[in-house]
Amino acid sequence: SYELTQPPSVSVSPGQTARITCSGDALPKKFAYWYQQKSGQAPVLVIYEDSERPSGIPERFSGSSSGTMATLTISGAQVEDEADYYCYSTDSSDNHRVFGGGTKLTVL
Amino acid sequence: QLQLQESGPGLVKPSETLSLTCTVSGGSISSSNYYWGWVRQPPGKGLEWIGSIFYDGSTSYSPSLKSRVTISVDTSKNQFSLKLRSVTAADTAMYYCARQTLLARTDYFDPWGQGALVTVSS
């Protein structure tokens, strides 16, 4: 099976930059996607195709990918950005569609 | 604006079959641009892809669940459905349906339904 690895938690103060990483062997060939899930809500797409931002997502959310690691960056994190963040991608043969284990972002 | 809504029993007995339906509104499930998928999330845990379907009925399933899962589509009702057989307590989860964009290298789920909590218990 295929796995995407994320840190369990990241903590920053308001206004600081939060970086959440996602590592996977197929990421050099496959796009990474990022979802934000606030408590009791469905996931929301915040980054697609490594670095593209859907309409309505604040500009402070950005993404990048290099080698086997993708990174979600929240520049000037705000209290309302507290949530679980999941990366998503597929293995090289598209047989396994997987989510990372999730990262709990605390902003306080 | 596309919306998805899950529906089905919230309680299923062990060894029985979990059945959920996702109703799509604000767009056609017969669009050739999209697949339609199911993702689940056990309480306090992460997300797990279950499977996906195209409007013509072609499917793709998670290898770990493939032996127990069937996803079907009803284009006349703009719905797609999930059946998970022989459930155990480990299948207790929030079940989400979502539209899947699947083109060349692009593959992601958006938007999602609000989710349906299914508990497996006698």
Side-chain angles (χ1 to χ4, degrees), chain A residues 53-76:
Chain A
R53 193 173 52 249
S55 61
I57 301 301
E59 291 184 7
R60 63 181 179 273
F61 288 87
S62 64
S64 62
S65 187
S66 178
T68 60
M69 184 169 289
T71 302
L72 172 68
T73 300
I74 307 172
S75 303

Side-chain angles (χ1 to χ4, degrees), chain A residues 10-93:
Chain A
V10 168
S11 182
V12 297
S13 299
Q16 288 188 328
T17 295
R19 293 183 178 85
I20 299 172
T21 59
C22 172
S23 64
D25 289 341
L27 290 179
K29 298 180 180 179
K30 296 294 184 180
F31 285 129
Y33 303 82
W34 291 92
Y35 292 91
Q36 176 194 67
Q37 186 179 35
K38 294 184 178 180
S39 181
Q41 298 183 19
V44 173
L45 182 72
V46 293
I47 292 291
Y48 67 99
E49 293 181 358
D50 289 345
S51 59
E52 300 297 317
R53 193 173 52 249
S55 61
I57 301 301
E59 291 184 7
R60 63 181 179 273
F61 288 87
S62 64
S64 62
S65 187
S66 178
T68 60
M69 184 169 289
T71 302
L72 172 68
T73 300
I74 307 172
S75 303
Q78 301 183 7
V79 173
E80 59 260 37
D81 298 331
E82 276 205 349
D84 293 323
Y85 290 85
Y86 294 91
C87 60
Y88 165 80
S89 189
T90 65
D91 67 358
S92 56
S93 61

Side-chain angles (χ1 to χ4, degrees), chain A residues 27-31 33 35 37 41-45 48-50 86 88 90 94-101, chain B residues 39 41 45-49 52 60-63 96 100 102-115:
Chain A
L27 290 179
K29 298 180 180 179
K30 296 294 184 180
F31 285 129
Y33 303 82
Y35 292 91
Q37 186 179 35
Q41 298 183 19
V44 173
L45 182 72
Y48 67 99
E49 293 181 358
D50 289 345
Y86 294 91
Y88 165 80
T90 65
D94 291 334
N95 286 332
H96 292 86
R97 292 181 164 84
V98 298
F99 294 87
Chain B
V39 176
Q41 184 174 35
K45 296 188 177 180
L47 301 165
E48 179 184 23
W49 172 66
S52 304
S60 177
Y61 297 131
S62 167
Y96 295 100
Q100 183 181 10
L102 188 56
L103 297 169
R105 292 180 62 204
T106 297
D107 181 345
Y108 63 92
F109 298 95
D110 180 65
W112 298 51
Q114 66 184 27

Side-chain angles (χ1 to χ4, degrees), chain B residues 33-80:
Chain B
N33 294 325
Y34 303 108
Y35 280 67
W36 305 89
W38 289 97
V39 176
R40 70 179 182 177
Q41 184 174 35
K45 296 188 177 180
L47 301 165
E48 179 184 23
W49 172 66
I50 300 170
S52 304
I53 191 165
F54 196 53
Y55 77 93
D56 67 356
S58 57
T59 54
S60 177
Y61 297 131
S62 167
S64 65
L65 295 169
K66 187 174 183 177
S67 63
R68 298 194 291 131
V69 172
T70 301
I71 297 176
S72 58
V73 63
D74 186 337
T75 55
S76 67
K77 295 181 179 179
N78 228 32
Q79 296 176 333
F80 62 107

